[in-house]
Amino acid sequence: MSSGTTAGTTVRSRSSCLSGNRIGKGNVGRQADYFNSEDVDDILTDNEPWEDPEELTIELPPAPSFDLQLLPVALRPMVKDIAERMQVPIDFPAVVAVATLAGVCGRRAMIQPKAKDDSWEVVPNLWGAIVAEAGMMKSPVIKAVTAPARVVEKEWRAKYEDEMLKHLRDKRRWSLDQSVQDGEYKKSRKVKLTNDPKSTPELPDPEPEPKPPVQSRLLTTDATLESLHKLLEQNAAGIFVLRDELTGWLTSLEKVGRESERSFYLECWNGDSSFTLDRIGRGSIYVDNCCVSLFGGIQPSRLRSYFADAMTDGQSGDGLIQRFQLLIWPDKPNKWVYEDRKKDTHAFEKAEEVYRGIASLNSQNPLRLKFSEEAQSVFQDWLTQLMDIELRDEELHTSLESHFSKYRSLMPSLAMLFSLADGNRETVGVEHTRQAVAWCTYLKEHAKRVYASRTDPAKSAAIVLKKKLEKGLLGDAKGTFTFRELCRKEWAELSRPDQARAALGLLEEDNWVRKESRKSDAVRADLVNGGRPSEKYRINPKVLGRLQHSGAARGTREGQDLKSEAIAN
């Protein structure tokens, strides 16, 4: 109920889902007079017919098509094979392949984008994500594309285990030698003290204890802050972090007490920042150059919920999401074809050769590549277009501006990674540079699509609520619900009072719900008992009719049960 004054009494609207000013029992009589007023009866009486609910949609920019020629030659067969066998958009395995290149490379190679200025070095670690609904095979694709890199790491693990066995033998031998040396010293000392009480035998220098081997790693999937920091201490080239579902990771960084973890990841994106982790009982761990590549999957609805804060001045608006440069949201394939054949083993072996070759580079003495003369000209033109024209567009959303500004390092990173994948370790040529430019154009269109889903948060929240109403997940048997009941659901994009109110406002405008006129016994009872009128909404009967009809299509009785069960939820 909106704020107003009638018969000397003020009824105030609630400012949040679960709290507000209550009407005291001392005013019950005056409130009764208020609700017996004929004028108010006229205001509260609602006999207007319901119109058809209008459709609510967010128009997303079209997803660009992916050209297999944008990939390094050696990776094309594997990407094509996975896309065909799994019947997924070719964009899926393509972007994972590029992310894996970055994760394997880390600090093993760098590029100096300018011809003369050597102070600007770019470490090609990249963050990315596949945006797709559940069941779109995101996780199987990630597992398949990273399989060749896992083979390399498996070999490293076997080598580490052999080295550890040797270390244990050496340590055992060292321990026995120390015991023998200690025993000889004790005997010598005893003899000397017997002959000359004032003499002391010389203590021999101890042999250094054998150092344990360090396990080389490429990937990790679920590391804590402390364990990831330890991995980086032992692997100077960096680590490739894979997350099956990025939503949980993003949400965990929002929790109180996790600020240091968020700061740590922000530092790791550059690939050249130091970080010290101090823990009581564990001492300090210092990493000179933290380098983390990151990739995972995320569902559109959950991404929109996170963007609601990231595109404002909230905690999430610190540029974390803008660091996901390899961010794609392709359309579902137009058709699905049953495919049953063995994988292209030769294609995977070629990819394994690529990953193995890059992983063999020495991070203590990394490669430093530059553009060829022709490629340098391409890069210069592209960077000038980005910085002087595209980022100065006044119509560009500030979040997109921040996102695109990070392409300044993305383009040279991609060009160098493509060059390494195709076996070129001297200079980055014009062909790979143009491939990188094409990738940036492709990724820009996907970024616009992702950000467009959150440029109107109220409409996005209204669509979420509309879908809940269509499924019958809100409302009682009469098709009514209160504002409090909506907030208690804690649905994504509707958990805060301002989000819920904005969504209800749009749905009311489009005839999905109506704020109920309250000349009801329930409201009177609230007032008589010293409570406040509940803020109640009624669902358009035509929406409820759709739900009932949907159930009836599978049988009248089953449909009624479906509706009752949905309303109960």
Side-chain angles (χ1 to χ4, degrees):
M1 181 179 291
S2 60
S3 299
T5 304
T6 306
T9 303
T10 300
V11 180
R12 301 181 63 184
S13 63
R14 289 177 288 176
S15 59
S16 67
C17 296
L18 305 177
S19 64
N21 295 328
R22 300 183 66 84
I23 302 173
K25 291 185 178 181
N27 291 328
V28 170
R30 300 175 72 181
Q31 295 300 331
D33 292 339
Y34 171 79
F35 276 93
N36 286 330
S37 166
E38 292 183 1
D39 293 336
V40 176
D41 285 349
D42 292 338
I43 294 173
L44 295 178
T45 300
D46 181 8
N47 295 315
E48 295 182 13
W50 286 87
E51 297 181 6
D52 290 335
E54 298 181 14
E55 282 301 318
L56 274 170
T57 57
I58 292 180
E59 294 296 331
L60 295 177
S65 58
F66 183 80
D67 186 351
L68 193 63
Q69 302 303 310
L70 295 182
L71 286 171
V73 175
L75 296 181
R76 292 173 193 172
M78 179 186 70
V79 168
K80 184 174 182 290
D81 177 69
I82 292 174
E84 290 176 351
R85 285 189 298 107
M86 294 190 176
Q87 288 295 291
V88 295
I90 197 168
D91 314 59
F92 282 18
V95 75
V96 180
V98 174
T100 306
L101 277 178
V104 171
C105 181
R107 292 184 53 81
R108 293 177 173 88
M110 306 173 193
I111 184 170
Q112 297 170 335
K114 291 186 175 180
K116 299 177 182 178
D117 186 0
D118 294 340
S119 64
W120 181 23
E121 290 187 336
V122 176
V123 179
N125 63 307
L126 301 173
W127 291 8
I130 296 173
V131 182
E133 299 289 353
M136 284 281 289
M137 303 284 285
K138 299 186 294 294
S139 297
V141 168
I142 293 174
K143 183 178 179 181
V145 177
T146 57
R150 295 178 189 274
V151 171
V152 176
E153 190 177 63
K154 185 177 181 180
E155 293 173 359
W156 288 359
R157 186 178 297 110
K159 180 181 178 182
Y160 167 76
E161 291 172 354
D162 291 341
E163 291 175 345
M164 179 56 74
L165 286 175
K166 181 178 181 300
H167 165 72
L168 293 175
R169 288 194 295 267
D170 292 342
K171 188 175 180 180
R172 174 66 173 165
R173 187 180 296 109
W174 172 84
S175 178
L176 292 173
D177 289 344
Q178 291 300 112
S179 298
V180 171
Q181 194 176 68
D182 290 346
E184 291 177 348
Y185 174 77
K186 291 177 182 178
K187 290 180 181 179
S188 176
R189 185 171 183 272
K190 183 176 181 180
V191 171
K192 286 199 172 187
L193 287 176
T194 302
N195 298 329
D196 185 1
K198 294 183 179 181
S199 66
T200 302
E202 183 177 349
L203 185 65
D205 294 331
E207 291 292 327
E209 183 177 355
K211 292 183 179 181
V214 175
Q215 182 176 2
S216 298
R217 296 284 299 274
L218 283 177
L219 308 95
T220 185
T221 54
D222 189 20
T224 63
L225 170 62
E226 290 78 10
S227 60
L228 181 57
H229 201 263
K230 186 67 176 178
L231 282 173
L232 290 174
E233 181 193 31
Q234 298 173 343
N235 295 270
I239 290 291
F240 185 24
V241 177
L242 293 172
R243 307 289 305 200
D244 187 56
E245 178 54 61
L246 282 169
T247 305
W249 176 75
L250 289 170
T251 303
S252 70
L253 298 183
E254 304 293 321
K255 295 180 179 178
V256 177
R258 305 288 288 271
E259 295 82 4
S260 60
E261 186 170 350
R262 188 182 188 89
S263 174
F264 172 69
Y265 273 101
L266 288 171
E267 292 289 343
C268 288
W269 180 80
N270 292 319
D272 58 4
S273 300
S274 62
F275 198 90
T276 302
L277 188 67
D278 297 314
R279 289 291 185 270
I280 297 176
R282 298 183 182 179
S284 298
I285 300 177
Y286 173 77
V287 177
D288 190 27
N289 294 291
C290 295
C291 180
V292 170
S293 290
L294 178 67
F295 197 88
I298 190 167
Q299 297 178 31
S301 60
R302 298 183 178 183
L303 180 65
R304 284 194 295 266
S305 179
Y306 184 82
F307 264 99
D309 193 36
M311 293 180 70
T312 61
D313 294 328
Q315 179 184 346
S316 303
D318 57 2
L320 181 72
I321 198 68
Q322 282 81 8
R323 284 167 165 77
F324 282 82
Q325 299 163 316
L326 300 177
L327 187 63
I328 64 165
W329 186 355
D331 291 322
K332 292 182 179 180
N334 294 328
K335 62 179 181 178
W336 186 90
V337 179
Y338 181 76
E339 188 77 27
D340 184 11
R341 59 176 173 80
K342 292 183 178 181
K343 73 176 185 179
D344 186 344
T345 305
H346 179 68
F348 279 79
E349 290 174 350
K350 289 288 292 182
E352 184 183 323
E353 288 178 15
V354 170
Y355 296 146
R356 189 188 307 279
I358 296 176
S360 66
L361 298 175
N362 184 5
S363 61
Q364 301 299 328
N365 185 27
L367 285 179
R368 285 178 167 83
L369 276 67
K370 284 184 174 291
F371 289 112
S372 67
E373 184 175 350
E374 189 178 0
Q376 189 71 53
S377 178
V378 173
F379 170 73
Q380 182 176 331
D381 292 343
W382 174 86
L383 186 61
T384 302
Q385 172 75 16
L386 174 70
M387 303 299 293
D388 194 45
I389 299 177
E390 295 181 21
L391 295 183
R392 294 177 183 270
D393 186 352
E394 294 181 356
E395 296 183 1
L396 188 65
H397 194 283
T398 54
S399 294
L400 267 176
E401 180 182 348
S402 175
H403 188 98
F404 291 161
S405 68
K406 291 175 172 52
Y407 282 25
R408 180 174 177 264
S409 63
L410 171 64
M411 186 274 202
S413 294
L414 291 174
M416 188 195 72
L417 290 172
F418 297 160
S419 179
L420 292 175
D422 282 338
N424 302 317
R425 299 186 180 182
E426 299 297 328
T427 59
V428 178
V430 66
E431 179 183 353
H432 295 117
T433 304
R434 286 174 177 157
Q435 277 183 319
V437 170
W439 261 93
C440 289
T441 302
Y442 164 81
L443 291 170
K444 281 179 187 175
E445 296 306 309
H446 276 285
K448 290 176 183 177
R449 195 169 203 240
V450 170
Y451 282 83
S453 70
R454 280 308 313 171
T455 52
D456 191 347
K459 192 171 185 180
S460 178
I463 291 174
V464 172
L465 181 53
K466 179 204 78 166
K467 292 179 179 179
K468 301 295 185 183
L469 297 178
E470 288 177 323
K471 294 179 180 179
L473 299 179
L474 183 64
D476 56 19
K478 297 179 180 179
T480 63
F481 63 90
T482 65
F483 185 68
R484 178 192 293 262
E485 289 169 346
L486 170 58
C487 290
R488 280 179 170 169
K489 295 289 187 180
E490 295 187 347
W491 285 322
E493 303 187 58
L494 294 165
S495 58
R496 296 202 314 261
D498 59 320
Q499 294 173 322
R501 288 190 188 283
L504 286 168
L506 287 179
L507 290 184
E508 193 169 7
E509 290 178 8
D510 291 340
N511 302 312
W512 285 83
V513 299
R514 187 177 293 171
K515 198 170 184 179
E516 190 176 62
S517 300
R518 294 184 295 275
K519 192 181 67 171
S520 65
D521 293 338
V523 171
R524 294 175 186 269
D526 284 344
L527 293 170
V528 170
N529 293 326
R532 60 180 180 274
S534 57
E535 195 173 342
K536 186 171 288 188
Y537 291 82
R538 182 174 295 276
I539 304 170
N540 189 330
K542 297 181 180 181
V543 176
L544 298 176
R546 291 179 187 175
L547 178 65
Q548 188 173 11
H549 178 73
S550 175
R554 287 175 287 172
T556 304
R557 182 171 181 177
E558 180 185 355
Q560 293 295 336
D561 292 341
L562 175 66
K563 181 179 178 183
S564 300
E565 181 181 353
I567 291 175
N569 290 332

